[in-house]
Amino acid sequence: MKSMDPKDGENEIEKLLQILSKVQNIYYKKKEQLEELQSEISELREVLNFLNSLISGKSFHSADEIYSKSFIKKVDGPIEEQYFVEDISKERVEGTNIKRKIFSKNKNNDEELLCILNFYDLNRVVIKIVEPEKLSIKESSEEFIRIFIKGALVEIIENNPNMSLKYDYYKSSDVIKHINITNLKSIKEYDIITSKMRELLSQRAWKG
């Protein structure tokens, strides 16, 4: 009987380890995708519940009146923006959250998460930089001031002087890891912040 060459055994184990590594990578990637999908479904449910509450609050109007107002809103701008700029009691929006994520393509052409924005109670935005040490965003940088401060916050504060801004820093550095913006008034302000954050991060990711 021919004895097995130890090298053959080592090669077989190496192949099995490679297969294990690939399967593990696929597993964790699918698991992450599932968690993101569940999070997105939860966010959609929150928005649906919020919109349902708004519609229920208008139910004492006639159907023709609601349709007429809806048509005017569609002409003037996106209907969801029109809902959010109305005066709504704090109780009706308490607990709501509109989450947005900003991605970039890495060297392998895979999507890489750069930033997460949360709009709480239609009033407060928390921006989380996923890898602050990598993107190295600083409040004193010319790029940050030009794109985000002047491009977004200055425009907002002209119409909303009550807006306030606060930073959390990465470890003991001057690199920003969280941006906290409070006293916002509408989804439109959130859109401006998102747009300028996307512009800033696209340049930072490209440089990295």
Side-chain angles (χ1 to χ4, degrees), residues 72-88:
I72 293 171
K73 288 170 182 173
K74 287 177 182 177
V75 172
D76 291 342
I79 190 167
E80 64 272 21
E81 292 186 9
Q82 296 297 325
Y83 273 129
F84 288 125
V85 297
E86 293 180 5
D87 292 330
I88 304 172

Side-chain angles (χ1 to χ4, degrees), residues 10-198:
E10 290 176 3
N11 290 337
E12 185 176 352
I13 291 173
E14 186 177 345
K15 289 178 182 178
L16 289 172
L17 287 173
Q18 290 176 352
I19 294 171
L20 174 63
S21 177
K22 289 180 181 179
V23 173
Q24 282 181 329
N25 288 337
I26 294 171
Y27 168 77
Y28 287 117
K29 187 172 183 179
K30 294 296 182 182
K31 185 179 179 181
E32 184 179 348
Q33 290 173 346
L34 178 60
E35 289 173 352
E36 288 185 2
L37 182 59
Q38 289 173 335
S39 175
E40 289 172 4
I41 290 172
S42 178
E43 293 161 18
L44 287 171
R45 187 185 299 113
E46 288 181 5
V47 173
L48 286 172
N49 290 338
F50 177 69
L51 290 175
N52 282 330
S53 69
L54 287 178
I55 293 169
S56 297
K58 296 175 180 289
S59 61
F60 59 87
H61 295 292
S62 68
D64 289 341
E65 185 179 357
I66 293 175
Y67 175 79
S68 176
K69 289 183 179 179
S70 297
F71 179 77
I72 293 171
K73 288 170 182 173
K74 287 177 182 177
V75 172
D76 291 342
I79 190 167
E80 64 272 21
E81 292 186 9
Q82 296 297 325
Y83 273 129
F84 288 125
V85 297
E86 293 180 5
D87 292 330
I88 304 172
S89 66
K90 290 183 179 180
E91 291 77 12
R92 294 182 67 184
V93 298
E94 188 174 349
T96 61
N97 177 28
I98 302 174
K99 180 183 288 185
R100 292 172 178 172
K101 297 177 182 179
I102 298 175
F103 293 86
S104 176
K105 295 284 187 180
N106 61 24
K107 294 178 181 179
N108 298 322
N109 207 33
D110 295 324
E111 284 193 338
E112 182 178 359
L113 181 61
L114 302 179
C115 171
I116 300 172
L117 300 92
N118 286 286
F119 190 25
Y120 298 107
D121 302 332
L122 303 185
N123 173 269
R124 176 171 60 96
V125 172
V126 177
I127 303 172
K128 176 184 177 182
I129 310 299
V130 175
E131 295 184 273
E133 73 281 13
K134 180 179 178 181
L135 293 172
S136 190
I137 297 174
K138 302 177 181 180
E139 61 178 302
S140 59
S141 72
E142 180 181 345
E143 196 174 58
F144 180 74
I145 293 171
R146 176 175 56 84
I147 296 175
F148 190 72
I149 300 297
K150 292 183 178 180
L153 302 190
V154 170
E155 179 180 343
I156 292 171
I157 208 166
E158 285 178 354
N159 299 313
N160 181 10
N162 293 323
M163 187 209 79
S164 63
L165 174 67
K166 181 183 176 183
Y167 303 107
D168 295 325
Y169 300 97
Y170 178 68
K171 295 184 177 178
S172 299
S173 70
D174 59 347
V175 173
I176 297 172
K177 68 174 182 178
H178 292 115
I179 302 174
N180 303 279
I181 306 169
T182 55
N183 298 325
L184 295 176
K185 292 183 176 180
S186 70
I187 192 72
K188 184 176 181 180
E189 293 176 342
Y190 186 38
D191 288 342
I192 294 170
I193 290 168
T194 303
S195 175
K196 291 302 176 180
M197 200 67 202
R198 183 178 292 112

